[in-house]
């Protein structure tokens, strides 16, 4: 029953093109019914010839020719109908496959970061490709084989009882034996195939993980070790797969053996019935054709069961991802506020990643438009989590975050994130051209606007120094660029977006001191008139922040300007003393926003 429900869901995905699907289903019904005309007509022709032979007279040609013409008509109908079904079934299956793949891709992208933190990207890619391949193959098989096979059983068995109930009962007994055998094998191997798919997922994860860290593999001379570990996964996969294949090989052998057994049974029973004058030669011939057709349909049925069974774990994984409800999504009444002013308020905000210890606890602070708020504290203190809540990577379990007096959960996600620019600690780039990466911030940006943003981010020089300039590809995850170059492109992307709220999550951590000094001067200009949040470990970069929030164990323990916090001799003063103790006279000149440092 579980496989039947799964198969029903596969067919339900054809819904958007149900008109064509129903037309193809109707054509299959007509095709399946038409195929049974041939053995019946063949039997009638044999009976006509047998009667003529028994009477020692020539056959009645009018009867014979009419039977042959009807036979030709059904044959032409089957050919034309079969061609149309195959042609349009292919088109339908391909269109729906790509539509479902696109929908899956969009759904996965909308899932929150918490989901992606728990599920490997290699597994998601494997589930997407294998799942849509399975859907496509089952749709094709449904219209080409499965539906006709099922209809054949519904037509053949009652028809065989009408023609000769004794021979019909023999065919029904054969169907019952095969149905029982198939059900037995399905029960025997169901859990085994699920284990096989787990190994396939592990294989995809490990291969993706290794390929994504080739530099690490090379630097630690782990090529042989990684290949060996991958072979170990393959060995486990084969150990789980071979018993499943063995069971289905038994079914295949028995299915082929059934052809001989069935034909012999029809001949033996038919000969006895003919001797008892309970069956004609034409009926025996018809039932031998029925038997051959039934064996063919049984093989299709076994193939169908085998295919659905083998694809079931892949489809279950696919539907599990599709059924995952995004925790972060638009409310029905969500609005687009346009460009916001940038007044940000945290009201008693708490959030936990699932453990008992909260990541942030009862956060309360306000950032006015144009202010620069710095967040400092040890790693894991809750700084990045607090700002992740601001652009709704997660939603707080309690409390509210407001922008311009509106709870951000009442805003459309795209509208909220359009108003918030983020420069992450790691420069995140697509394997596309520099221009394409920059236009992620604003799709309609001109080349002149990109040049200005790159110049302000201190990135224009190295971009123009390249052979293709803005059209140069950056490689997977930006690997063709240095760490500092990747970060400068990321900053230029945020500048091009021109958001009213800007988040800098250790944005200058990958830059050398000289480039950082230039960049901070550019950021000083860019941050005017917008609300800016800065996460920084180097305290010298936040000397001129409007306000500094000191985090510890998810809570704000101190708040104030740089000078105020130093004078309090609290946690921040302790951090400051640890980072720079040199007298003011010995400090080099600094950018206006940074305000001085070692």
């Amino acid at each position: 029953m579980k496989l039947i429900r799964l198969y029903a869901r596969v067919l339900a995905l054809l819904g958007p093109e149900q008109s064509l699907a129903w037309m193809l289903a109707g054509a299959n019904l007509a095709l399946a019914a038409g195929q049974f005309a041939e053995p019946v007509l063949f039997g009638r022709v044999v009976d006509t010839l047998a009667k003529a032979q028994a009477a020692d007279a020539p056959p009645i040609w009018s009867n014979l020719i009419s039977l042959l013409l009807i036979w030709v008509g059904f044959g032409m109908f089957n050919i034309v109908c079969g061609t149309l079904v195959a042609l349009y079934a292919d088109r339908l299956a391909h269109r729906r496959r790509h539509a479902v793949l696109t929908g899956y891709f969009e759904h996965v992208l909308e899932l929150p970061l918490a989901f992606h933190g728990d599920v490997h990207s290699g597994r998601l890619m494997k589930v997407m490709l294998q799942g849509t391949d399975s859907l496509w193959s089952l749709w094709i098989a449904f219209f080409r084989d499965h539906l006709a096979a099922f209809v054949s059983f519904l037509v053949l068995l009652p028809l065989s009882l009408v023609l000769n109930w004794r021979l019909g009962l023999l065919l029904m007994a054969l169907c019952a034996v095969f149905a029982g055998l198939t059900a037995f094998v399905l029960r025997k191997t169901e859990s085994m195939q699920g284990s096989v798919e787990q190994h396939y997922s592990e294989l995809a994860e490990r291969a993706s993980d290794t390929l994504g860290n080739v530099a690490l593999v090379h630097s630690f001379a782990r090529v042989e070790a990684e290949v060996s570990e991958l072979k170990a996964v393959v060995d486990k996969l084969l150990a789980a797969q071979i018993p499943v294949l063995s069971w289905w090989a038994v079914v295949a052998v028995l299915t082929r053996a059934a052809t001989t057994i069935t034909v012999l049974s029809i001949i033996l029973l038919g000969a006895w019935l003919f001797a008892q004058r309970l069956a004609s030669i034409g009926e025996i011939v018809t039932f031998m054709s029925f038997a051959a057709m039934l064996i063919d349909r049984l093989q299709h049925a076994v193939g169908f069961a085998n295919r659905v069974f083998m694809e079931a774990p892949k489809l279950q994984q696919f539907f599990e991802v599709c059924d995952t409800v995004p925790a972060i999504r638009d409310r029905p009444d969500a609005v687009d506020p346009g460009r916001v002013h940038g007044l940000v308020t945290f009201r008693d905000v708490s959030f936990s990643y699932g453990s008992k210890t909260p990541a942030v606890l009862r956060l309360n602070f306000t950032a006015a438009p144009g202010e620069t708020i710095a967040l400092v504290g040890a790693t894991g203190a809750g700084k990045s989590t607090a700002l992740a809540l601001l652009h709704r990577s997660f939603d707080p379990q309690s409390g509210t975050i407001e922008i311009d007096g509106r709870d951000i959960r009442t805003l459309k996600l795209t509208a909220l994130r359009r108003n918030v620019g983020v420069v992450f600690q790691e420069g995140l780039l697509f394997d596309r051209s520099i221009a394409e990466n920059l236009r992620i911030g604003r799709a309609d940006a001109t080349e002149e606007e990109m040049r200005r943003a790159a110049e302000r981010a201190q990135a224009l020089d190295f971009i123009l120094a390249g052979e293709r300039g803005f059209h140069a590809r950056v490689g997977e995850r930006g690997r063709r660029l240095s760490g500092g170059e990747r970060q400068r492109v990321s900053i230029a992307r945020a500048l091009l977006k021109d958001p009213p709220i800007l988040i800098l999550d250790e944005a200058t951590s990958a830059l050398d001191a000289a480039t950082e000094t230039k960049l901070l001067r550019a950021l000083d200009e860019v941050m005017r008139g917008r609300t800016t949040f800065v996460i920084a470990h180097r305290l010298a970069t936040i000397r001129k922040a409007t306000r500094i929030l000191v985090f510890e164990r998810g809570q704000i323990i101190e708040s104030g300007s740089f000078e105020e916090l130093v004078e309090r001799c609290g946690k921040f003063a302790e951090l400051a003393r640890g980072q720079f103790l040199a007298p003011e006279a010995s400090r080099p000149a600094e950018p206006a926003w940074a305000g001085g440092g070692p």
Side-chain angles (χ1 to χ4, degrees), residues 293-429:
M293 191 177 292
L294 178 65
I295 292 298
D296 180 64
R297 295 297 181 262
L298 285 173
Q299 288 176 337
H300 279 304
V302 171
F304 156 72
N306 187 15
R307 175 173 287 184
V308 175
F309 170 77
M310 298 294 281
E311 305 293 349
K314 303 173 189 175
L315 292 170
Q316 285 169 348
Q317 291 178 352
F318 182 84
F319 287 130
E320 281 174 7
V321 175
C322 291
D323 291 340
T324 302
V325 179
I328 310 299
R329 60 186 185 277
D330 287 337
R331 290 180 177 179
D333 58 348
V335 298
D336 184 346
R339 185 177 177 87
V340 301
H341 296 293
L343 174 63
V344 177
T345 305
F346 278 62
R347 299 186 188 278
D348 206 28
V349 172
S350 296
F351 174 78
S352 171
Y353 288 103
S355 62
K356 294 182 179 179
T357 304
V360 293
L361 181 63
R362 295 189 294 275
L363 298 183
N364 287 280
F365 64 89
T366 298
E371 286 190 335
T372 298
I373 306 298
L375 287 70
V376 302
T379 301
K383 308 181 299 298
S384 295
T385 299
L387 297 185
L389 293 170
L390 175 58
H391 58 92
R392 291 197 72 191
S393 292
F394 316 97
D395 274 339
Q397 277 99 20
S398 64
T400 59
I401 302 173
E402 298 175 358
I403 293 180
D404 294 351
R406 288 180 172 176
D407 188 333
I408 60 174
R409 287 170 290 195
T410 66
L411 308 180
K412 289 185 177 179
L413 270 173
T414 53
L416 169 66
R417 291 170 180 170
R418 190 171 57 244
N419 279 287
V420 180
V422 184
V423 180
F424 297 98
Q425 183 173 3
E426 177 187 359
L428 304 177
L429 301 177

Side-chain angles (χ1 to χ4, degrees), residues 256-315:
R256 293 187 179 93
T259 304
T260 303
I261 296 171
T262 303
V263 171
L264 287 175
S265 299
I266 292 293
I267 292 174
L268 291 173
L269 181 59
W272 183 82
L273 291 174
F274 179 77
Q276 301 297 318
R277 298 185 181 277
L278 297 175
S280 66
I281 294 176
E283 287 177 343
I284 296 173
V285 170
T286 297
F287 269 86
M288 290 188 67
S289 298
F290 275 1
M293 191 177 292
L294 178 65
I295 292 298
D296 180 64
R297 295 297 181 262
L298 285 173
Q299 288 176 337
H300 279 304
V302 171
F304 156 72
N306 187 15
R307 175 173 287 184
V308 175
F309 170 77
M310 298 294 281
E311 305 293 349
K314 303 173 189 175
L315 292 170

Side-chain angles (χ1 to χ4, degrees), residues 61 67 73 85 127 129 174 178 195 234 252 305 308 361 364 403 407 414 427 432 442-443 484 495 568:
W61 284 103
L67 288 172
V85 166
V127 168
L129 297 178
L174 181 65
F178 266 86
S195 175
V234 171
V308 175
L361 181 63
N364 287 280
I403 293 180
D407 188 333
T414 53
R432 302 168 192 173
R442 205 174 90 228
L495 300 182
R568 289 181 194 174

